[in-house]
Each structure stands twice: as structure tokens, then as C-alpha cells.
Amino acid sequence: MIESIIGVIFTFGIIVFIHEFGHFLMCRLLGVHVEEFSFGFGKILYQKNKNNTLYSIRLIPLGGYVKPKGEDINEFKGESDEYFSKKWYERIMIVLAGPIMNYLLSFFIFWGVIYTVGKPLPSSSTVIGDLAEGFPAHLAGMKQGDKIVAIDGIKVEKWKDMMVLISSKIEKEIKVEYEREGKRYSVNLKTRKDPTSDRGIIGIVPQTDYEKVGFFTA
């Protein structure tokens, strides 16, 4: 529970930081002075003033902000490095820089996962990856990791071949033979009709395999 809370706070903090960093970079690029760049809110834990910009880290890491000079129209003095001194499309660029950085963050996270782990694909083996609770396989006592070896006495080695045998039996009893920890078991169960198509199902899905892909494919 504590780990989950910390994980959510950390993730949200990163998202906020990247978002605000986008505003900060665009302000710098367009010549808008940033008066303060804050990560978090509440009590200040650390602050440093550099080039007339106050950088701060605050107690609660669930927010943050960038304060461009002259962003408040009531404080606008007409100086060239103020927010409202910039053209309308430049101000839009500053506003959009935050969400664009979040999209880029998402892109690079997913790219990194796919590049390092691989592209997820359904496994061709007959090992059960997961079961739907309350469906025939689950009710019959089958478990994740069980390897189905035969349907009605017909040996199966690939998931596709196994599903052909199961789907052809709609609301009929079938005999499923499977292996678990080196031991073989068999069970009789009645298939259900798939509500979305005319085929029999027992409530199982395959494992996920990961195919290594190249830099650009990822």
C-alpha cells in the first residue's frame, strides 16, 4: 500500500516536472524571463536564485509552476522579456509546450519499454496466461501456468489448434488434459457460447511473449 502511494506520487511528480519544464524551456527559447520555477507546493525545502530566477523544491510533490515575467496583465510593464510582450502565437507556444512535453515523455517511455523488453505478442504455446473468473476453466480448477496437452483425446501443441477444437464445441462437454508441475490432469467441462461470436469458449487467454525489435521499429 505504502509502495503504491509512493509510486503514484513519484509518477505524478515526474509528469508535473516535465510539464512545467516544457513551459520553462519555451520561455527561455522565446526570450521570456522566468521569475520562478517551482517543483511541488507548500513549504520550501530548497531554493536557489540563479540569473534572477528562483528555483525551488517544495514539500508536497503534487504540483509545480513556472512564473513568466509579466504573465499577469495587471503587472505588465511593456518590457521586451515579459510574457505579454510576445506575439499571440508565441504565447500559445509557451502554453502548449507543457502538454507537448508530456506527450513526448509518454512516447519515450513506451519506446524504451518496447525497445528493452520487446513487442508483446500472444504466445503460440498452450500454456494458460490467465483465466476469466467464473468461466468453465476457472470453475474446473484450472490455473494460470497450466499447459493444455489434449482436447477430447486430440493432442495439441499450438494455441491456435487448441482453440479450433474448443470453439467448434458450443455449450458441449469436452475433456481437457493438462500438465501442472510435471503431473498430468484431466477434467470434463462444458463450454460456453461466446456472446460476441458463434463459438465455444472456456475462459482462457494465452501467455504473452515479447519479440525483440530494433531501435526504429520500437
Side-chain angles (χ1 to χ4, degrees):
M1 181 64 178
I2 297 298
E3 291 84 353
S4 298
I5 293 174
I6 293 174
V8 169
I9 292 174
F10 175 78
T11 303
F12 193 76
I14 292 296
I15 292 172
V16 169
F17 176 78
I18 293 296
H19 181 96
E20 298 302 329
F21 190 59
H23 295 313
F24 176 81
L25 286 179
M26 190 57 67
C27 283
R28 284 298 182 87
L29 183 65
L30 297 176
V32 175
H33 177 65
V34 176
E35 295 179 341
E36 184 174 358
F37 182 12
S38 173
F39 175 63
F41 61 89
K43 183 180 178 180
I44 294 177
L45 300 178
Y46 172 82
Q47 64 179 5
K48 181 178 181 179
N49 195 306
K50 184 177 181 181
N51 298 326
N52 292 322
T53 298
L54 179 65
Y55 298 90
S56 63
I57 299 175
R58 298 173 182 266
L59 180 62
I60 305 173
L62 293 176
Y65 64 90
V66 169
K67 187 178 186 302
K69 180 180 177 181
E71 181 184 29
D72 187 338
I73 192 65
N74 296 317
E75 299 175 359
F76 177 57
K77 299 177 182 178
E79 297 176 359
S80 62
D81 62 349
E82 290 184 301
Y83 176 77
F84 274 105
S85 292
K86 302 303 173 182
K87 296 180 174 62
W88 65 269
Y89 58 85
E90 292 177 317
R91 298 198 300 271
I92 290 177
M93 289 170 64
I94 292 173
V95 172
L96 291 179
I100 287 173
M101 284 292 283
N102 286 140
Y103 280 112
L104 289 174
L105 173 65
S106 301
F107 173 83
F108 282 109
I109 287 175
F110 280 108
W111 169 83
V113 170
I114 294 173
Y115 182 66
T116 56
V117 177
K119 181 173 67 173
L121 296 169
S123 174
S124 62
S125 76
T126 58
V127 177
I128 297 175
D130 202 2
L131 300 93
E133 188 173 348
F135 276 71
H138 175 259
L139 295 174
M142 299 182 71
K143 297 181 180 180
Q144 183 180 11
D146 289 347
K147 181 179 181 180
I148 298 176
V149 295
I151 302 292
D152 287 336
I154 302 174
K155 186 178 179 181
V156 291
E157 295 182 349
K158 294 184 178 181
W159 188 272
K160 182 179 180 181
D161 297 335
M162 178 185 69
M163 293 312 297
V164 169
L165 295 173
I166 294 174
S167 62
S168 64
K169 303 290 181 68
I170 303 174
E171 296 183 344
K172 293 181 180 180
E173 188 173 281
I174 60 173
K175 181 181 180 181
V176 179
E177 297 175 58
Y178 61 95
E179 292 180 352
R180 178 188 299 167
E181 298 178 350
K183 296 182 180 180
R184 180 169 290 203
Y185 302 87
S186 67
V187 64
N188 293 322
L189 52 82
K190 185 179 180 181
T191 67
R192 290 188 186 178
K193 185 179 184 300
D194 188 341
T196 62
S197 62
D198 190 28
R199 64 190 183 101
I201 57 173
I202 60 174
I204 57 174
V205 294
Q207 289 183 320
T208 300
D209 289 337
Y210 293 91
E211 177 188 1
K212 286 293 183 179
V213 295
F215 184 91
F216 292 104
T217 302

